[in-house]
């Protein structure tokens, strides 16, 4: 089916190969909350920050952590509560991707070297 779609220049969902899905952003009422939609796929992202004391081995670098949850609204197979192994794997992948790409300057998250970082 997939190969036939490529040969016919259409995707499985009927879109042309060069057609994109509609992107939407909706900012929530809570600070740091946004809903992202890409076609029929939706994701909720919540961002928060905390000032901490950096570890001695990286005194001038802030930290970024990710937490991923797949809720039952996405699929009946997902249960609320503790993140599944799949959700943890996705969070770890995102973290490795961003750290490895150096897309985020962790030194820019430093407030006072050795004392306070985001």
């Amino acid at each position: 089916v997939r190969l036939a779609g490529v040969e016919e220049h259409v995707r499985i969902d009927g879109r042309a190969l060069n057609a994109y899905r509609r992107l939407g952003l909706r900012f929530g009422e809570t600070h740091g909350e946004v809903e992202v939609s890409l076609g029929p796929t939706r994701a909720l992202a919540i961002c928060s920050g905390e000032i901490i004391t950096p570890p001695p081995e990286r005194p001038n670098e802030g930290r970024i952590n990710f937490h991923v949850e797949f809720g039952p609204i996405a699929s009946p197979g997902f249960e609320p509560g503790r993140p599944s192994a799949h959700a943890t794997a996705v969070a770890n992948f995102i973290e490795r991707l961003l750290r490895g790409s150096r897309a985020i300057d962790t030194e820019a998250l430093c407030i006072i070297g050795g004392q306070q970082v985001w």
Side-chain angles (χ1 to χ4, degrees):
V1 173
R2 291 182 187 198
L3 187 55
V6 172
E7 291 170 354
E8 295 171 11
H9 303 288
V10 294
R11 298 174 189 254
I12 292 174
D13 62 4
R15 289 180 294 129
L17 292 178
N18 63 350
Y20 60 90
R21 292 182 176 175
R22 184 177 178 91
L23 174 68
L25 294 174
R26 186 177 61 84
F27 294 95
E29 294 179 19
T30 305
H31 184 73
E33 182 180 288
V34 65
E35 181 182 308
V36 180
S37 60
L38 186 59
T41 304
R42 293 179 15 204
L44 176 66
I46 300 172
C47 178
S48 62
E50 178 181 10
I51 297 173
I52 61 169
T53 302
E57 61 274 6
R58 296 184 185 270
N60 298 316
E61 292 184 26
R63 292 191 48 145
I64 296 189
N65 297 317
F66 293 90
H67 175 78
V68 173
E69 278 185 37
F70 298 125
I73 197 164
S75 169
F78 298 134
E79 296 180 18
R82 187 178 176 127
S84 67
H86 186 67
T88 302
V90 169
N92 291 340
F93 175 75
I94 292 169
E95 197 166 323
R96 280 193 318 272
L97 180 70
L98 289 176
R99 285 180 197 229
S101 71
R102 304 187 69 90
I104 298 172
D105 181 3
T106 55
E107 288 185 6
L109 301 173
C110 180
I111 300 168
I112 300 171
Q115 296 178 28
Q116 294 181 332
V117 297
W118 284 101

